[in-house]
Amino acid sequence: MIKLYLNDDMPQRSDPECYNANDKNPYAFEDFGPGIGETNFNEYGWRIPFLLSVVLLGVSVWIRLKLNESPLFLRMKELGLASKRPLTEAFGEWANAKMAILALFGAAAGEAVVWYSGQFYALFFLTQTVKVDPVRAQIMIAIALAIGSPGFVLFGWLSDKVGRKPVMLTGFALAAITYFPIFWGITHFANPALERALASSPVVIVADSTECSFQFNPVGTANFTSSCDVARAALVARSVNYKSEEGPIGQEAFVKVGNETISTTIANFTQHLGDAIIAHGYPAKADPAEINHVVTVALLTLLVVYATLVYGPIAAWLVELFPTRIRYTAMSLPYHIGNGWFGGFLPATVFAIVA
């Protein structure tokens, strides 16, 4: 069994069972006896929770079998009015297809972005951009979810009273207006040293803009090898904001960090750039002592509340949008494409936009 500590909380022991990981790992591990072990966990142990989720699948199927269809649907079946070709009727007829398009781009896609931003990208941002250690970040996210999740019920109920669209549009508008300030605020309160470094030692990439790609790589198979792309990716991976300046056509890119210049043509460019960034005050990770946990959790909770505003009413809105005879088919496609594609690709898309 492995017990996991943050380094600051690690008990003082001298025996070989207790060891600290290398400097790049913010954790320390203590071995208390037999268990799955790190090697076995990497090989197959991480799959166990996914396999156990089959129990949840069984529970969900059981719940679904116990549920009754709506009286309107049952009556429609009794009269033989159910659609014999729901796909063709839902998407082959323009009157229904345009409603599916509206549902996808007018609601489901936006809901996915707001929901994934508040519950998934926020964690990605905390750990990868602001460099908060993963355990601390997950705890803060969990607290924010616990505080904000009742909003799903609250705003679903409110949409019964005032309508679906006013509630959902409020969530969309608040997200569009305040996302940038909120994520700036998370940076300020979770890693103020990073914010200070961004202000005191600005970073500039000088490159031929024709070499700079939009680094959208959702499946990790694309290679961005131009000097501009290498420089951009290296800076984004280190959470370093930068400005771009146009360089001569064909010239290899270089990076200016404060008063230091690092060319992409030198050997071990990434290492030299990392050393320069650290020398100019950019932290390798967030200092736990400087994190304002209360305000950071409050900002994360606000992101969750936005998600509840758009997610709470959307199921009812989609149900009400389509006629009963094709409702199941017509609402399923835009909902799942909206969440699967727009939500699932959110981290990769945001990385490309930031880069």
Side-chain angles (χ1 to χ4, degrees):
M1 181 178 71
I2 301 294
K3 186 172 183 181
L4 176 63
Y5 292 96
L6 296 179
N7 277 343
D8 294 344
D9 303 325
M10 189 66 190
Q12 299 300 313
R13 291 178 57 180
S14 58
D15 60 78
E17 292 181 358
C18 176
Y19 64 93
N20 285 327
N22 59 47
D23 291 339
K24 296 181 180 180
N25 193 325
Y27 307 115
F29 296 87
E30 186 171 353
D31 191 346
F32 284 94
I36 191 171
E38 184 175 357
T39 301
N40 290 334
F41 179 83
N42 289 334
E43 289 182 357
Y44 68 85
W46 64 270
R47 293 180 172 89
I48 293 176
F50 293 93
L51 295 174
L52 291 177
S53 68
V54 72
V55 177
L56 297 177
L57 175 62
V59 172
S60 66
V61 171
W62 177 78
I63 292 174
R64 180 66 186 89
L65 292 174
K66 293 294 183 180
L67 291 174
N68 292 322
E69 297 289 357
S70 68
L72 185 62
F73 183 79
L74 292 174
R75 179 61 176 163
M76 183 189 69
K77 288 183 67 177
E78 289 175 4
L79 297 175
L81 299 177
S83 177
K84 300 295 190 294
R85 45 189 187 85
L87 275 173
T88 302
E89 190 173 340
F91 306 113
E93 298 178 9
W94 174 242
N96 293 324
K98 70 179 180 181
M99 298 306 294
I101 295 171
L102 169 66
L104 172 58
F105 293 105
E111 168 266 320
V113 170
V114 176
W115 180 35
Y116 276 67
S117 294
Q119 299 195 27
F120 299 106
Y121 181 69
L123 179 60
F124 179 89
F125 183 81
L126 273 178
T127 57
Q128 302 301 313
T129 302
V130 188
K131 306 299 185 183
V132 176
D133 70 75
V135 172
R136 195 179 302 272
Q138 289 165 11
I139 291 172
M140 289 193 289
I141 290 287
I143 295 172
L145 286 171
I147 297 171
S149 289
F152 289 112
V153 177
L154 171 63
F155 294 118
W157 169 83
L158 183 62
S159 74
D160 289 337
K161 306 297 181 182
V162 302
R164 319 296 180 198
K165 288 191 288 186
V167 177
M168 294 169 62
L169 289 173
T170 298
F172 291 143
L174 287 172
I177 294 169
T178 65
Y179 263 178
F180 277 102
I182 287 174
F183 282 100
W184 284 332
I186 291 172
T187 303
H188 173 77
F189 290 105
N191 194 346
L194 174 61
E195 184 183 50
R196 291 193 295 269
L198 290 168
S200 63
S201 300
V203 176
V204 178
I205 294 178
V206 181
D208 175 5
S209 60
T210 61
E211 284 194 345
C212 303
S213 306
F214 186 67
Q215 298 186 33
F216 183 65
N217 189 20
V219 293
T221 58
N223 291 316
F224 300 99
T225 58
S226 72
S227 61
C228 176
D229 291 340
V230 169
R232 285 181 168 185
L235 289 171
V236 173
R238 287 165 174 77
S239 313
V240 177
N241 190 23
Y242 63 87
K243 295 182 179 180
S244 297
E245 290 184 2
E246 183 67 38
I249 295 176
Q251 177 180 289
E252 296 292 315
F254 60 89
V255 180
K256 294 189 289 186
V257 183
N259 56 3
E260 187 174 351
T261 299
I262 305 99
S263 173
T264 55
T265 60
I266 64 173
N268 300 320
F269 160 74
T270 303
Q271 180 179 337
H272 284 289
L273 179 62
D275 293 341
I277 289 170
I278 292 173
H280 284 79
Y282 287 85
K285 60 181 181 180
D287 182 358
E290 286 197 322
I291 298 175
N292 188 324
H293 293 85
V294 173
V295 179
T296 302
V297 169
L299 292 172
L300 295 172
T301 302
L302 193 56
L303 295 177
V304 175
V305 171
Y306 290 173
T308 64
L309 274 162
V310 300
Y311 195 83
I314 195 168
W317 184 77
L318 289 172
V319 166
E320 295 162 353
L321 194 63
F322 299 101
T324 306
R325 56 186 285 112
I326 60 168
R327 178 175 294 155
Y328 188 85
T329 300
M331 69 175 286
S332 294
L333 190 65
Y335 177 79
H336 289 99
I337 289 179
N339 282 273
W341 288 77
F342 288 87
F345 286 144
L346 182 69
T349 304
V350 171
F351 179 91
I353 291 172
V354 171

